[in-house]
Coordinates of all heavy atoms in Angstrom, one line a residue:
Chain A
E225 N -44.4 7.6 12.7 CA -45.9 7.3 12.9 C -46.1 6.1 13.9 O -46.9 5.2 13.6 CB -46.5 7.0 11.5 CG -46.5 8.2 10.5 CD -47.1 7.9 9.2 OE1 -47.3 6.7 8.9 OE2 -47.3 8.9 8.5
S226 N -45.7 6.4 15.1 CA -45.8 5.4 16.1 C -46.7 5.8 17.1 O -47.1 7.0 17.3 CB -44.5 5.0 16.6 OG -43.9 6.1 17.3
K227 N -47.2 4.8 17.9 CA -48.0 5.0 19.1 C -47.2 4.5 20.3 O -46.6 3.5 20.3 CB -49.3 4.3 19.1 CG -50.4 5.1 18.2 CD -51.8 4.5 18.5 CE -52.7 4.8 17.4 NZ -53.0 3.6 16.7
A228 N -47.2 5.3 21.4 CA -46.5 4.9 22.6 C -47.3 3.7 23.2 O -48.5 3.8 23.3 CB -46.3 6.1 23.5
V229 N -46.6 2.7 23.6 CA -47.3 1.6 24.3 C -47.2 1.8 25.9 O -48.1 2.1 26.5 CB -46.8 0.3 24.0 CG1 -47.6 -0.8 24.8 CG2 -46.9 0.1 22.5
T230 N -45.8 1.9 26.2 CA -45.5 2.3 27.6 C -44.3 3.1 27.5 O -43.3 2.8 26.9 CB -45.2 1.1 28.6 OG1 -44.1 0.3 27.8 CG2 -46.4 0.2 28.8
V231 N -44.3 4.3 28.2 CA -43.1 5.1 28.3 C -43.0 5.6 29.8 O -43.9 6.2 30.2 CB -43.2 6.4 27.4 CG1 -42.0 7.2 27.6 CG2 -43.5 6.0 25.9
E232 N -41.9 5.0 30.5 CA -41.7 5.5 31.7 C -41.1 6.9 31.7 O -40.4 7.2 30.7 CB -40.6 4.6 32.4 CG -41.1 3.2 32.7 CD -40.0 2.4 33.2 OE1 -38.9 2.8 33.7 OE2 -40.2 1.1 33.0
S233 N -41.4 7.7 32.7 CA -40.9 9.1 32.6 C -39.6 9.0 33.3 O -39.3 8.3 34.1 CB -41.8 10.1 33.3 OG -41.8 10.0 34.6
F234 N -38.7 9.9 32.7 CA -37.4 10.1 33.2 C -37.1 11.6 33.5 O -37.2 12.4 32.7 CB -36.3 9.5 32.4 CG -34.9 9.8 32.7 CD1 -34.4 9.2 33.8 CD2 -34.1 10.8 32.1 CE1 -33.0 9.4 34.2 CE2 -32.8 11.0 32.4 CZ -32.3 10.4 33.5
L235 N -36.9 12.0 34.8 CA -36.8 13.3 35.3 C -37.9 14.2 34.7 O -37.7 15.3 34.3 CB -35.5 13.9 34.8 CG -34.1 13.1 35.2 CD1 -32.9 13.7 34.6 CD2 -34.1 13.2 36.8
G236 N -39.1 13.6 34.7 CA -40.2 14.5 34.2 C -40.4 14.4 32.7 O -41.5 14.8 32.3
F237 N -39.4 14.0 31.9 CA -39.6 13.9 30.5 C -40.4 12.6 30.1 O -40.0 11.6 30.6 CB -38.3 14.0 29.8 CG -37.7 15.4 30.0 CD1 -36.6 15.6 30.8 CD2 -38.1 16.4 29.1 CE1 -36.0 16.7 30.9 CE2 -37.5 17.7 29.2 CZ -36.4 17.8 30.1
K238 N -41.3 12.7 29.3 CA -42.1 11.5 29.0 C -42.3 11.4 27.5 O -42.0 10.4 26.9 CB -43.5 11.5 29.7 CG -44.1 10.2 29.7 CD -45.3 10.3 30.6 CE -46.2 9.1 30.8 NZ -46.0 7.9 30.0
D239 N -42.6 12.5 26.9 CA -42.9 12.5 25.5 C -41.7 12.6 24.6 O -40.9 13.5 24.9 CB -43.9 13.5 25.0 CG -45.3 13.3 25.7 OD1 -45.6 12.1 25.8 OD2 -46.0 14.3 26.1
P240 N -41.5 11.8 23.5 CA -40.5 12.0 22.7 C -40.6 13.4 22.0 O -41.6 13.9 21.8 CB -40.6 10.9 21.7 CG -42.0 10.4 21.7 CD -42.5 10.8 23.1
L241 N -39.4 14.0 21.6 CA -39.4 15.2 21.0 C -39.6 15.2 19.5 O -40.3 16.1 19.0 CB -38.0 16.0 21.2 CG -37.6 16.1 22.7 CD1 -36.2 16.6 22.7 CD2 -38.5 17.1 23.4
L242 N -39.1 14.2 18.9 CA -39.2 14.1 17.4 C -39.6 12.7 16.9 O -39.6 11.7 17.9 CB -38.0 14.5 16.8 CG -37.4 15.8 17.1 CD1 -35.9 15.9 16.7 CD2 -38.0 16.9 16.2
E243 N -39.8 12.5 15.6 CA -40.1 11.2 15.1 C -38.9 11.1 14.1 O -38.5 11.9 13.4 CB -41.4 11.2 14.4 CG -42.5 10.6 15.1 CD -43.7 10.2 14.4 OE1 -43.6 10.5 13.1 OE2 -44.7 9.8 14.9
V244 N -38.5 9.8 14.0 CA -37.5 9.6 12.9 C -38.2 9.7 11.5 O -39.2 9.4 11.3 CB -36.7 8.2 13.1 CG1 -36.1 8.1 14.5 CG2 -37.7 7.0 12.8
P245 N -37.3 9.8 10.5 CA -37.8 9.8 9.1 C -38.3 8.5 8.7 O -38.0 7.4 9.3 CB -36.7 10.4 8.2 CG -35.4 10.4 9.1 CD -35.9 10.4 10.5
A246 N -39.2 8.5 7.6 CA -39.9 7.2 7.3 C -38.9 6.2 6.8 O -39.1 5.0 7.0 CB -40.9 7.4 6.3
W247 N -37.7 6.6 6.2 CA -36.8 5.6 5.6 C -36.0 4.8 6.6 O -35.3 3.8 6.3 CB -36.0 6.3 4.5 CG -35.3 7.5 5.0 CD1 -35.8 8.7 4.7 CD2 -34.1 7.6 5.7 NE1 -35.0 9.7 5.3 CE2 -33.9 9.1 5.9 CE3 -33.1 6.8 6.3 CZ2 -32.8 9.6 6.5 CZ3 -32.1 7.3 7.0 CH2 -31.9 8.7 7.1
M248 N -36.1 5.2 8.0 CA -35.3 4.4 8.9 C -36.1 3.3 9.4 O -37.0 3.4 10.3 CB -35.1 5.5 10.2 CG -33.8 6.3 10.0 SD -33.2 6.7 11.6 CE -31.9 7.8 11.1
K249 N -36.0 2.2 8.8 CA -36.8 1.0 9.1 C -36.1 -0.2 9.2 O -36.6 -1.3 9.1 CB -37.9 1.0 8.1 CG -37.6 0.8 6.7 CD -38.8 0.9 5.9 CE -38.4 0.8 4.4 NZ -39.6 0.8 3.5
G250 N -34.7 -0.1 9.5 CA -34.1 -1.3 9.8 C -34.5 -2.0 11.1 O -35.4 -1.3 11.7
E251 N -33.9 -3.0 11.5 CA -34.4 -3.7 12.6 C -34.2 -2.7 13.8 O -33.1 -2.3 14.1 CB -33.6 -5.1 12.8 CG -33.8 -5.7 14.2 CD -34.5 -7.0 14.0 OE1 -34.8 -7.4 12.9 OE2 -34.8 -7.6 15.1
N252 N -35.2 -2.3 14.5 CA -35.2 -1.4 15.6 C -34.4 -0.1 15.3 O -33.7 0.4 16.2 CB -34.5 -2.1 17.0 CG -35.3 -3.1 17.5 OD1 -36.6 -3.0 17.5 ND2 -34.7 -4.2 18.0
A253 N -34.5 0.3 14.1 CA -33.9 1.5 13.6 C -34.0 2.7 14.5 O -33.0 3.4 15.0 CB -34.1 1.9 12.2
A254 N -35.3 3.0 14.9 CA -35.5 4.3 15.7 C -34.8 4.1 17.0 O -34.3 5.1 17.5 CB -37.1 4.4 15.7
S255 N -34.9 3.0 17.6 CA -34.5 2.8 18.9 C -32.9 3.0 18.9 O -32.4 3.6 19.8 CB -34.8 1.4 19.5 OG -33.9 1.1 20.6
K256 N -32.3 2.5 17.8 CA -30.9 2.5 17.8 C -30.4 4.1 17.5 O -29.5 4.6 18.0 CB -30.3 1.7 16.6 CG -30.4 0.2 17.0 CD -29.8 -0.6 15.8 CE -30.1 -2.1 16.0 NZ -30.0 -2.9 14.8

Side-chain angles (χ1 to χ4, degrees):
Chain A
E225 292 180 349
S226 62
K227 279 198 200 105
V229 182
T230 51
V231 181
E232 290 173 23
S233 76
F234 173 70
L235 301 178
F237 290 102
K238 198 167 177 352
D239 294 322
L241 301 173
L242 299 162
E243 269 193 1
V244 302
W247 46 264
M248 276 204 186
K249 54 185 181 184
E251 172 116 2
N252 289 328
S255 166
K256 287 177 189 167

